Amino acid sequence: MTAAVTPSLFEGLATSLISDCMQRIAGTYGLDARHGDAPLLGTAYTVRVRQGDNLHIHEALRHVQPGDVLVVDGGGSLERALVGEIMMQVARKRGCAGFVIDGAIRDQSAFRRDAFPVYAAGVTHRGPYKNGPGETRCAVSIGGVVVNHGDIVIGDEDGVVFVAPAQAAAVAKAARAKLADETRTLADIAAGKYDDSWIDAALGR
């Protein structure tokens, strides 16, 4: 990845700003932050697994690079946890930036204790199978969004968005312009000068 499309382009930007600048149809739904409020920023290392089976997540952990985010298509199944504390500690040791799991996790208290970013559809104590099949570094479906290996991953308390490297510079620029605009709006509200005339236009008045 070139310097122009590194995840650092999105430092300090809320997921809401980014998704607003991507036609408001980007990003996950139904995946919640299970670790607290630590932000997530990194590069997608994608994994697809059979529901309730984490063999290929273990395989992916052999190859992650610092700054990678494991983005796992678990089919949304909540029957069995796909990751827990042991895998989290392996990931931390290898520089992994976090997990995005379209499925369940366990050991939620350990993720909170260590503030290790993890977004998941649910939590269960029931452990996974380790038989496969699965694949890595492929296109996956995560919370209603197609994610490609190498996409930029941004997460906060509102959820997760993914940005293709080719779009990153334009989306980051638009999001920073929107941040500046919203900052001005908040200042106007505080000063009692909020302009809501756009409502009349939207109502056709």
Side-chain angles (χ1 to χ4, degrees):
M1 184 179 293
T2 66
V5 293
T6 59
S8 62
L9 281 170
F10 296 92
E11 286 181 355
L13 290 173
T15 57
S16 57
L17 293 169
I18 298 165
S19 64
D20 277 359
C21 294
M22 298 177 72
Q23 300 182 308
R24 299 190 172 186
I25 58 175
T28 63
Y29 57 85
L31 303 187
D32 296 326
R34 307 285 174 172
H35 61 281
D37 60 2
L40 172 64
L41 187 61
T43 304
Y45 192 111
T46 57
V47 186
R48 179 184 294 119
V49 299
R50 181 170 66 90
Q51 291 187 2
D53 189 292
N54 72 357
L55 176 61
H56 279 75
I57 305 175
H58 284 280
E59 168 65 9
L61 283 173
R62 288 178 160 181
H63 303 286
V64 290
Q65 298 297 311
D68 283 346
V69 177
L70 278 189
V71 178
V72 181
D73 179 356
S77 174
L78 304 182
E79 183 178 349
R80 298 184 180 279
L82 293 176
V83 297
E85 182 176 11
I86 288 176
M87 296 179 78
M88 181 260 284
Q89 296 297 356
V90 172
R92 289 183 70 203
K93 189 71 173 178
R94 295 176 181 173
C96 182
F99 296 152
V100 179
I101 309 291
D102 195 357
I105 68 163
R106 66 180 180 181
D107 304 326
Q108 182 172 223
S109 62
F111 286 96
R112 289 176 175 166
R113 178 197 67 218
D114 292 341
F116 185 83
V118 60
Y119 295 80
V123 179
T124 180
H125 57 85
R126 298 180 66 178
Y129 297 113
K130 303 179 187 300
N131 304 314
E135 56 184 326
T136 63
R137 292 176 283 189
C138 55
V140 295
S141 177
I142 304 293
V145 180
V146 175
V147 182
N148 291 295
H149 184 77
D151 283 353
I152 295 172
V153 184
I154 308 100
D156 58 23
E157 289 182 279
D158 287 345
V160 185
V161 292
F162 307 95
V163 183
Q167 300 174 335
V171 172
K173 181 179 179 181
R176 293 201 181 278
K178 186 168 181 60
L179 173 61
D181 182 64
E182 291 193 358
T183 300
R184 287 190 295 269
T185 298
L186 290 169
D188 287 346
I189 293 170
K193 299 188 298 183
Y194 177 54
D195 179 9
D196 62 3
S197 59
W198 65 268
I199 299 172
D200 292 327
L203 292 172
R205 293 175 179 168

